[in-house]
């Protein structure tokens, strides 16, 4: 229960409240803090950009940090572009959990955002040599009591032509509104135009597009599920879709529910 409360504070940016709960656990209620509580606090501080505070808390823990704790620090370092701290955290995670594919991906993301393509290639080689495979992302949406599953760049669905046609028209509208794709999310050293094309057909965008073209305007909410965390570019695009189409779009990713309506997400762009 305590972990759930601290985690909720972390994903909502409630730093002061989370810190208060953490300190009162033992002082007021006699609850002994464990590694999971500390991991939540390091994640809370790190997400808020207080990386030094997160690192100091880790150093003062009454026990040695585990892979999850270092992973939280790595994730926060990736969000705020601190490559030096990310590399330090990744080194510890790889030592404790050498088969943790997610940590390789996080560090690769940071290298790609910094334009360090040789380091991205090195990470790929390490994953290949150790037999580690990235978990493929996929999304699914329920329409008329039937589930439809999509992967990135999926062209196997019977409605592919309508889905891709809708997204082509959508991106013309988005550019008119000043939309700029988050090209730094692409882990390949290719031209900007190719990066935009690769981002355009992420699985959650395909699922939302399918829901739009197969349900009446102003109808029931479109509910999409994804097995991984929704990427920042998809999050931004779906906000626009909710405004353009006047639809409530609910996306459940691996972290939380996102309720998109009128161009705004319930997470406040903090997740």
């Amino acid at each position: 229960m305590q972990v759930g409360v601290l985690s909720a504070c972390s994903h909502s940016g409630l730093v002061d409240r989370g810190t208060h709960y953490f300190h009162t656990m033992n002082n007021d209620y006699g609850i002994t803090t464990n590694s999971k509580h500390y991991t939540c606090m390091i994640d809370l501080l790190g997400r808020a950009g207080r990386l030094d505070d997160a690192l100091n808390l880790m150093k003062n823990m009454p026990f040695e940090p585990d892979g999850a704790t270092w992973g939280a620090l790595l994730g926060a370092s990736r969000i705020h572009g601190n490559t030096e701290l990310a590399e330090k955290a990744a080194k510890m995670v790889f030592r404790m959990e050498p088969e943790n594919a997610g940590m390789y991906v996080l560090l690769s993301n940071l290298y790609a955002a910094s334009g360090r393509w040789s380091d991205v290639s090195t990470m790929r080689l390490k994953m290949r040599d150790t037999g580690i495979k990235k978990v493929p992302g996929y999304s699914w949406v329920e329409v008329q009591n039937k589930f439809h599953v999509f992967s990135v760049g999926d062209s196997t669905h019977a409605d592919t032509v309508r889905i891709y046609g809708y997204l082509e028209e959508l991106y013309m509208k988005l550019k008119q509104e000043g939309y700029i794709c988050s090209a730094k999310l692409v882990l390949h050293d290719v031209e900007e135009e190719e990066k935009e094309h690769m981002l355009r057909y992420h699985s959650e965008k395909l699922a939302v597009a399918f829901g739009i073209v197969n349900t009446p305007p102003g109808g029931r909410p479109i509910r999409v599920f994804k097995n991984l965390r929704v990427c920042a570019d998809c999050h931004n695009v779906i906000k626009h879709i909710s405004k353009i189409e006047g639809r409530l779009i609910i996306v459940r990713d691996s972290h939380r529910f996102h309720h998109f309506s009128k161009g705004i997400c319930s997470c406040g762009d903090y997740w």
Side-chain angles (χ1 to χ4, degrees), residues 97-122:
E97 301 176 0
E99 297 183 356
N100 191 328
M103 298 300 105
Y104 285 89
V105 174
L106 280 177
L107 191 55
S108 292
N109 285 339
L110 184 53
Y111 286 146
S114 304
R116 294 172 55 175
W117 299 111
S118 61
D119 290 318
V120 173
S121 298
T122 298

Side-chain angles (χ1 to χ4, degrees), residues 71-119:
L73 190 63
L74 171 55
S77 301
R78 195 272 305 173
I79 292 173
H80 296 287
N82 190 321
T83 306
E84 181 179 353
L85 185 56
E87 289 177 326
K88 177 180 179 179
K91 181 179 180 180
M92 299 303 297
V93 174
F94 296 154
R95 181 184 302 173
M96 299 176 182
E97 301 176 0
E99 297 183 356
N100 191 328
M103 298 300 105
Y104 285 89
V105 174
L106 280 177
L107 191 55
S108 292
N109 285 339
L110 184 53
Y111 286 146
S114 304
R116 294 172 55 175
W117 299 111
S118 61
D119 290 318

Side-chain angles (χ1 to χ4, degrees), residues 144-165:
Q144 297 180 351
N145 299 318
K146 182 178 179 180
F147 286 99
H148 300 262
V149 183
F150 300 89
S151 58
V152 60
D154 200 332
S155 60
T156 62
H157 196 278
D159 255 355
T160 292
V161 174
R162 294 177 68 204
I163 293 170
Y164 277 55

Side-chain angles (χ1 to χ4, degrees), residues 24-201:
T24 57
M25 281 172 54
N26 182 266
N27 296 336
D28 297 347
Y29 300 102
I31 300 173
T32 302
T33 49
N34 57 37
S35 61
K36 292 182 179 180
H37 298 132
Y38 275 92
T39 297
C40 284
M41 281 302 300
I42 289 166
D43 186 58
L44 170 70
L45 294 169
R47 284 176 182 273
R50 294 169 53 176
L51 295 173
D52 289 338
D53 290 337
L55 187 58
N56 288 332
L57 180 62
M58 181 183 291
K59 291 178 179 178
N60 292 314
M61 288 169 54
F63 30 71
E64 290 297 316
D66 56 16
T69 307
W70 282 110
L73 190 63
L74 171 55
S77 301
R78 195 272 305 173
I79 292 173
H80 296 287
N82 190 321
T83 306
E84 181 179 353
L85 185 56
E87 289 177 326
K88 177 180 179 179
K91 181 179 180 180
M92 299 303 297
V93 174
F94 296 154
R95 181 184 302 173
M96 299 176 182
E97 301 176 0
E99 297 183 356
N100 191 328
M103 298 300 105
Y104 285 89
V105 174
L106 280 177
L107 191 55
S108 292
N109 285 339
L110 184 53
Y111 286 146
S114 304
R116 294 172 55 175
W117 299 111
S118 61
D119 290 318
V120 173
S121 298
T122 298
M123 296 303 296
R124 289 196 185 120
L125 288 174
K126 285 184 178 180
M127 293 180 70
R128 186 194 67 183
D129 293 343
T130 53
I132 297 172
K133 295 183 179 180
K134 177 184 175 181
V135 177
Y138 58 90
S139 302
W140 62 99
V141 59
E142 183 182 5
V143 174
Q144 297 180 351
N145 299 318
K146 182 178 179 180
F147 286 99
H148 300 262
V149 183
F150 300 89
S151 58
V152 60
D154 200 332
S155 60
T156 62
H157 196 278
D159 255 355
T160 292
V161 174
R162 294 177 68 204
I163 293 170
Y164 277 55
Y166 170 79
L167 288 175
E168 289 296 328
E169 293 181 4
L170 172 70
Y171 273 83
M172 293 178 62
K173 296 177 182 178
L174 292 180
K175 288 183 177 180
Q176 292 174 356
E177 294 187 7
Y179 160 78
I180 300 176
C181 76
S182 303
K184 66 179 182 180
L185 298 174
V186 178
L187 301 183
H188 299 277
D189 188 11
V190 295
E191 296 297 326
E192 292 298 308
E193 184 176 348
E194 179 63 19
K195 289 182 179 180
E196 180 178 342
H197 182 80
M198 295 171 72
L199 283 172
R200 184 173 301 183
Y201 304 113

Side-chain angles (χ1 to χ4, degrees), residues 211-262:
I212 292 291
V213 301
N214 283 281
T215 57
R220 299 174 61 184
I222 296 171
R223 302 177 186 275
V224 172
F225 301 83
K226 185 176 182 180
N227 67 321
L228 302 177
R229 183 180 186 270
V230 63
C231 84
D233 186 74
C234 287
H235 192 273
N236 188 23
V237 168
I238 297 172
K239 283 197 303 181
H240 281 293
I241 294 176
S242 73
K243 179 180 179 181
I244 293 171
E245 300 292 346
R247 300 292 297 271
L248 171 60
I249 304 171
I250 302 172
V251 178
R252 175 64 168 98
D253 69 2
S254 61
H255 283 64
R256 63 180 297 163
F257 280 96
H258 298 265
H259 291 71
F260 299 92
S261 179
K262 300 178 181 179

